[in-house]
Amino acid sequence: MNRTLKERLLEFLAKHPHEKFKQKVLARRLSITDPAEYHALQKLLKDLHQEGEIGRGKSRRYTHAVPPAHHQLTGVFHLERNGSGFVQLLPPMKGKVSIAPRFMQTALDGDTVRVVAFEGSVGPGDGDGSVPEGEIIDVLERNPRPIVGTLEKGKNFFFVVPDQRGLERDIYIPKGKTLGARPGDKVVVQIDAWESRNLNPEGHIVEQLGKSGDVLAEMKSVARKFSLPLSFPRSVLEAARSIPEKIPPAEIARRLDLRELICFTIDPEDAKDFDDAVSLEPLDDSHFRLGVHIADVSHYVTDGSILDEEARKRGTSVYLANDVIPMLPEKLSNDICSLRPDVDRLTYSVLMTVSKQGTVRSYEIHKTVITSKRRFSYGEVQDVITGKRGPFSREIIAMYHLSQALLKGRLKNGALDFDTTEIKFRYDESGKPVEILQKSRLDAHRLIEEFMLLANRTVAEHIGISRKEDQIRPFIYRVHDVPPPEKMKDFCAFVEHLGYSFPIDQARSSVMLQKLLDKVRGTEEENVINEVAIRSMAKAVYSDFNIGHYGLAFRHYTHFTSPIRRYPDLMVHRLLNEYSLKMPYQRRKQVASLLPGICDQSTERERVAQDAERASVKVMQIEYMKRHLGEEFHAIISGVVKFGLFVEITDLLVEGLIHIRDLDDDYYLFDEKQFSLTGRSTRRRYRLGDKVTIQVIRVDPEEGEIDFRLVTPEHVTRRKKSRR
């Protein structure tokens, strides 16, 4: 049956929903050669556009019909790691719309877009947990974040190959807009125009970072990729410099004076800011007064000030592999607010009467002034714990025993104790890594962790427990939801294939999960299992609505102990003070309206910081491995995919890929359910958790990739069949 021209046109546009076509292109794609039919197409396009059946963009480019305005929604597009994305709707709408890759148009992560939900999909904000699907129909505002990539030269033009995921197309750079950069340079580029996903975007270079692949250039690129502010505005620095270092006597008089109390800080050897001090006084044979004293940043960074605006914008300090990007200027973070020894400092203190078994009998929360008696490193405290005598040994030993009681109590109540391994680098004079070291988790670390956890919980309970409806206090909580069922199902299957029994009906029990973690402690697969378990968890976030903390097994929890480096902690200090002064009802209503935005912003900045920190570690690992091409290492298979094996070097925690093309002794078949690759002829099987010996064969700093090959595939170390 012959179809009409209108049917052919609408069908073609429907098959290409994100493309825009000029009339001549449409005529060619519809095989129109007759002049009369060409003129009919011209009239048809005009009529359909006027009737709203098709859309028309710039330069008379036609596209599929644009939904009516009342069906369109506005939000911010977020790209996820798996390549899909979602649009977080802007007020007054709530909720989000899921976006498949083919419906993203030219949107990039962070762009403000117009989106339409598909007909029959659950409406945004319906509240039943369903997420509607939809498509992006327009990019309203580009995320100002520039894009990092490598400049290359074609025959007659320049282009940038972007590092950014989700942007698969090179960016065309017109002549005169290269800023003097040369091919092979790592550069920052700003997109000027991008009309169709089938065309290349056009842009201009705004900064040259250095030669691509150079470690310093790559570290600069990490900061640019995540839009991390490398300096403070002059006005912010001037505001910090104007703060007097000496505490006025009138301010000391308003506070609980604890300057004679024996308290001290315990931090990493290379720490520069000290925001928490601890004290422990015996009260009787079975009780102590535990003091957790936190730098009172809120006294200096007042609500609405220029320092406050900058801190809120940053949200958190960012700890890159070779640098720190602080939330507050150094005058505050390393000097005025830092609890340096033998100097009077303003603090917010939680003073808890605690039994030897770790039960809090009573508590007080005060604005205080203290003088730290000593600055300890974790190593020094660990020496005291293991028997070496030193200053304040009696206090430290008592603290250690109390922290162990607190830990035992938490674990008994269902708290999770992930013993994840972190790494640090030792650098040469030029800033290049020459050694990768695993950070040891000492009893001294646990001591401080337990005291900080207890203070955070006590503050959250102080606000959140036993309040009448008309006395509800808006607050910032640190919450952690139960694990998503589908992720825990995958985790159960994962550990089953490593030889451990973990039935799905136990998956939601934090007690049973902790028993599994205890069972794998000390094994070579411990780190892999811990990492997969953490990825299977819901993410902890900041929220004004308290749902408790699954991982810690706390019904009430907040962040109070690090206001120098986390904005939510600074807000918690302010709220505590306002509530102690009887916050008026109207002010509570105002706070309730402000907190959701602050919580979302803080969670987002935390996520960006974590991603940037991981990216910086990857840069340094790659730089280190460049010096070890051809060397062999012991490793464990950490992932199995159809294109190869991901393996992690056991002592360096460096991950790379064995491409399936390099498993050249057989044709290997991928079994997704069994997490394995199996040779069709030899039946040799490589499974998740297998221990192997690998050789480094390729390191690509520009792509961020490390490739390995198996040295002795016939000697794969096998684990016991079951550890049930």
Side-chain angles (χ1 to χ4, degrees), residues 603-623:
T603 297
E604 172 64 17
R605 294 314 303 166
E606 178 185 56
R607 182 188 67 82
V608 170
Q610 290 170 346
D611 288 346
E613 289 162 11
R614 280 192 289 264
S616 73
V617 168
K618 184 71 172 178
V619 167
M620 287 301 178
Q621 287 177 324
I622 287 173
E623 178 65 26

Side-chain angles (χ1 to χ4, degrees), residues 138-155:
D138 197 12
V139 176
L140 301 177
E141 184 180 351
R142 287 286 180 200
N143 183 348
R145 183 175 67 196
I147 294 166
V148 177
T150 303
L151 183 67
E152 302 291 352
K153 191 177 187 306
K155 189 173 182 180

Side-chain angles (χ1 to χ4, degrees), residues 560-617:
F560 162 80
T561 53
S562 296
I564 286 179
R565 63 182 180 91
R566 291 190 305 227
Y567 190 78
D569 303 54
L570 174 57
M571 279 297 301
V572 164
H573 281 217
R574 288 181 185 151
L575 292 172
L576 275 174
N577 185 55
E578 286 197 67
Y579 286 132
S580 72
L581 300 174
K582 309 299 181 185
M583 185 192 296
Y585 176 72
Q586 288 301 321
R587 171 59 177 163
R588 274 188 276 147
K589 285 180 62 178
Q590 180 189 29
V591 169
S593 67
L594 293 174
L595 287 189
I598 292 174
C599 289
D600 289 345
Q601 157 82 359
S602 298
T603 297
E604 172 64 17
R605 294 314 303 166
E606 178 185 56
R607 182 188 67 82
V608 170
Q610 290 170 346
D611 288 346
E613 289 162 11
R614 280 192 289 264
S616 73
V617 168

Side-chain angles (χ1 to χ4, degrees), residues 147-200:
I147 294 166
V148 177
T150 303
L151 183 67
E152 302 291 352
K153 191 177 187 306
K155 189 173 182 180
N156 298 308
F157 59 90
F158 291 94
F159 61 95
V160 170
V161 181
D163 296 345
Q164 182 172 329
R165 60 188 176 85
L167 182 53
E168 307 301 331
R169 291 194 166 273
D170 300 336
I171 303 169
Y172 170 69
I173 307 295
K175 288 184 178 179
K177 294 190 176 183
T178 62
L179 205 69
R182 297 182 177 183
D185 283 351
K186 184 73 75 170
V187 296
V188 182
V189 61
Q190 190 78 52
I191 290 181
D192 298 321
W194 193 18
E195 291 189 358
S196 169
R197 209 165 182 90
N198 292 322
L199 300 174
N200 285 61

Side-chain angles (χ1 to χ4, degrees), residues 57-181:
K58 297 178 181 179
S59 305
R60 292 184 176 272
R61 294 175 182 268
Y62 295 91
T63 185
H64 69 301
V66 178
H70 63 276
H71 288 162
Q72 300 173 21
L73 304 164
T74 302
V76 177
F77 176 65
H78 296 277
L79 187 67
E80 298 182 293
R81 294 180 185 275
N82 60 6
S84 62
F86 65 91
V87 173
Q88 185 68 53
L89 300 179
L90 295 177
M93 294 298 294
K94 295 181 179 180
K96 56 187 179 181
V97 179
S98 177
I99 309 294
R102 65 183 181 278
F103 296 127
M104 291 178 184
Q105 209 187 55
T106 63
L108 297 172
D109 190 56
D111 288 350
T112 301
V113 300
R114 185 176 289 121
V115 65
V116 61
F118 294 142
E119 186 176 355
S121 185
V122 178
D126 281 0
D128 66 351
S130 301
V131 178
E133 297 179 353
E135 64 176 313
I136 292 170
I137 58 174
D138 197 12
V139 176
L140 301 177
E141 184 180 351
R142 287 286 180 200
N143 183 348
R145 183 175 67 196
I147 294 166
V148 177
T150 303
L151 183 67
E152 302 291 352
K153 191 177 187 306
K155 189 173 182 180
N156 298 308
F157 59 90
F158 291 94
F159 61 95
V160 170
V161 181
D163 296 345
Q164 182 172 329
R165 60 188 176 85
L167 182 53
E168 307 301 331
R169 291 194 166 273
D170 300 336
I171 303 169
Y172 170 69
I173 307 295
K175 288 184 178 179
K177 294 190 176 183
T178 62
L179 205 69

